[in-house]
Every structure is written in structure tokens, then in C-alpha cells.
Amino acid sequence: MKKLEQLYEGKAKKVFATDDPDLVIVDYKDDATAFNGAKKGTIVGKGVINNKLTNYLMQQLEKEGVPTHFVEEISDRETVVKKVTIVPLEVIIRNISAGSFAKRYGVEEGIVFKAPTVEFSYKSDPLDDPLLNHYHALALGLATQEEIDQIIAMAFKVNDVLKAFFAEVGVTLVDFKLEFGKTSDGKIVLADEISPDTCRLWDSKTGEKLDKDRFRRDMGGVEDAYQEIMRRVFGK
Ligand code: TMP
Ligand code: ASP
């Protein structure tokens, strides 16, 4: 497989064409942003960690019947994935109140919900990813009803698998963001990444934050937190 021209550069990853029209290569950077790019920085080693963690978790999800874009890890930072058209929805699942949920509804962080919630944001940097409901998504033609139903079912399934997986290594999965893509044959698959950038992960015993909130909130110990998640997952 040949790595060809760069197709796209996002805030945390670059995407390259390959000689196969159905495959692209994702290249994970150490760049970190928050608040839609208003805060910028570097988390040393993050690209390697997010690449390896995403690939491992996607393979676990595949085993549990969740289709993903994952094809093959080719280096510490690079992975071959299926080329998809990203559905422009950020799909957020929450098990415990935190972040924008706590702020929006005026509640403390750490309230354990009886059942997980799902919400959508419209993936649009110029609009700052506004929250929207599934009727809005239909009205804007972002996805069909059938696709939305499939996406919600897959997102809850991902939650079941990841929550159990992280619990086994002493980590509480508070909330996370997923993105889905459509392959050339019209199939919806899980895309993007699953990492401490896109999940809130709290130490189950101490409640210590082991995710990007340490960067967002200037808490220090950012690299250590990412490495701790790696150690928990891969035992090293
Ligand atoms: P929020 O509480 O700020 O809405 O974030 C919910 C979850 O989504 C949290 O785990 C972090 C993740 N997230 C992203 O991956 N990308 C984003 O742009 C935002 C705002 C949140
Ligand atoms: N996606 C956000 C940004 O664009 C980062 C975040 O808060 O996770 O900067």
C-alpha cells in the first residue's frame, strides 16, 4: 500500500490517500486543541497513544459486532482505515454528569445516571458544533431516520462494551463522543477515534481525571494521565 497525497488536516489527525480508492491512512498528531481551537497546545506522545488505543478498542468493538472503519495499524502513529463520508454529527453518550451537561443544566459533576443519555451536535467548526436533536438532523438532511436509528443503537452498544472494558481496568467511563461514517457501499461504520481526547475517563477508586479535561482545565499532569490509560489498557 502506497501513502499518497494529504487529503485533509484536522486538529488532531491528518488523512492521506492511498493507491486503493476505498482506503485512507490516518496519521495522529500530538497537537491538542480545546474550545473549538481557541486553546492550543501539545500533548507529547498523544498521537501514538491515541492511535494504539483507538485501534485496540475498535478491534474489541468489532468482536462484539460493531462495524468500524479500522483496517490495519501500520506504524506508531499511522493506521489504514476504510474511506468513509463522515456523517456530520458528533454523537455523545453520557453515563455520569460532567462538562457541558453539568454546565447547561446547572448540576454538579459526578451524578450517576440511571440510564445513559445520547445527544447530537452538528459537526461544524464555523458554528461551534451546536447541539441539535434528531428532527433537526433530519430537517438539515444530515442523515436519514434509518441511519439515525442505527447510529443511536450502535452508540449505546459501544457504551456497553467500553464501560465494561474500562471497569475491568479500574477506569470509569463518564462520557464520550463518537463519529460515524458511510462507506462507498452505503454502510454506516464507527469512525474517527476513541481516546482520552474524546472520552472522560476517571480513576474508579480516586476519581482522578485521566483524560483531556486535564488539558482543557489546565490541571497539569496531562501526559501522565494519557500514559496511565495506556498502562491500564495494555499493562505497560
Ligand atoms: P462535553 O461535556 O464538553 O459536551 O463533552 C462530552 C464528551 O465529548 C467528552 O467526553 C469530551 C468529548 N468531546 C469531544 O470529543 N470533542 C469535542 O469537541 C467536545 C466538545 C467534546
Ligand atoms: N474538539 C475540541 C476543539 O476543537 C476539543 C475538545 O474540547 O475536545 O478544540
Side-chain angles (χ1 to χ4, degrees), residues 90 92 94 98-101 119 129 175-177 197-200 216:
E90 299 204 340
I92 294 158
R94 300 181 191 270
S100 70
F101 182 98
E119 72 201 39
D129 298 346
D175 58 29
F176 57 94
K177 185 264 300 180
D197 273 22
T198 60
C199 301
R200 283 197 174 91
R216 296 188 188 99

Side-chain angles (χ1 to χ4, degrees), residues 89-102 104-105 113 115-123 128-132 151-152 154-156 158-159 173-180 190 192 197-200 216:
L89 292 173
E90 299 204 340
V91 182
I92 294 158
I93 298 280
R94 300 181 191 270
N95 297 303
I96 298 178
S97 65
S100 70
F101 182 98
R104 184 178 317 118
Y105 301 116
F113 303 146
T117 65
V118 64
E119 72 201 39
F120 297 119
S121 294
Y122 178 21
K123 198 173 146 59
D128 221 358
D129 298 346
L131 190 70
L132 86 184
I151 284 172
I152 293 173
M154 282 165 74
F156 280 126
V158 170
N159 187 43
L173 179 62
V174 174
D175 58 29
F176 57 94
K177 185 264 300 180
L178 299 175
E179 294 183 27
F180 292 86
L190 180 63
D192 195 47
D197 273 22
T198 60
C199 301
R200 283 197 174 91
R216 296 188 188 99

Side-chain angles (χ1 to χ4, degrees), residues 68-118:
T68 77
H69 72 168
F70 175 78
V71 176
E72 188 191 2
E73 186 172 300
I74 53 169
S75 78
D76 274 359
R77 290 177 186 270
E78 295 167 303
T79 294
V80 179
V81 300
K82 288 177 192 148
K83 186 170 186 174
V84 297
T85 308
I86 291 288
V87 178
L89 292 173
E90 299 204 340
V91 182
I92 294 158
I93 298 280
R94 300 181 191 270
N95 297 303
I96 298 178
S97 65
S100 70
F101 182 98
K103 196 171 169 204
R104 184 178 317 118
Y105 301 116
V107 296
E108 67 202 86
E109 294 200 313
I111 302 166
V112 180
F113 303 146
K114 285 202 181 71
T117 65
V118 64

Side-chain angles (χ1 to χ4, degrees), residues 1-10 12-31 51 69 71-72 74-75 77-84:
M1 161 126 7
K2 268 206 206 99
K3 188 176 182 181
L4 301 178
E5 79 279 6
Q6 183 176 306
L7 297 174
Y8 173 77
E9 178 163 7
K13 300 185 280 300
K14 295 175 184 173
V15 180
F16 294 86
T18 70
D19 48 1
D20 182 331
D22 285 327
L23 299 176
V24 294
I25 292 172
V26 181
D27 191 335
Y28 285 74
K29 307 188 284 183
D30 283 353
D31 299 354
N51 183 39
H69 72 168
V71 176
E72 188 191 2
I74 53 169
S75 78
R77 290 177 186 270
E78 295 167 303
T79 294
V80 179
V81 300
K82 288 177 192 148
K83 186 170 186 174
V84 297

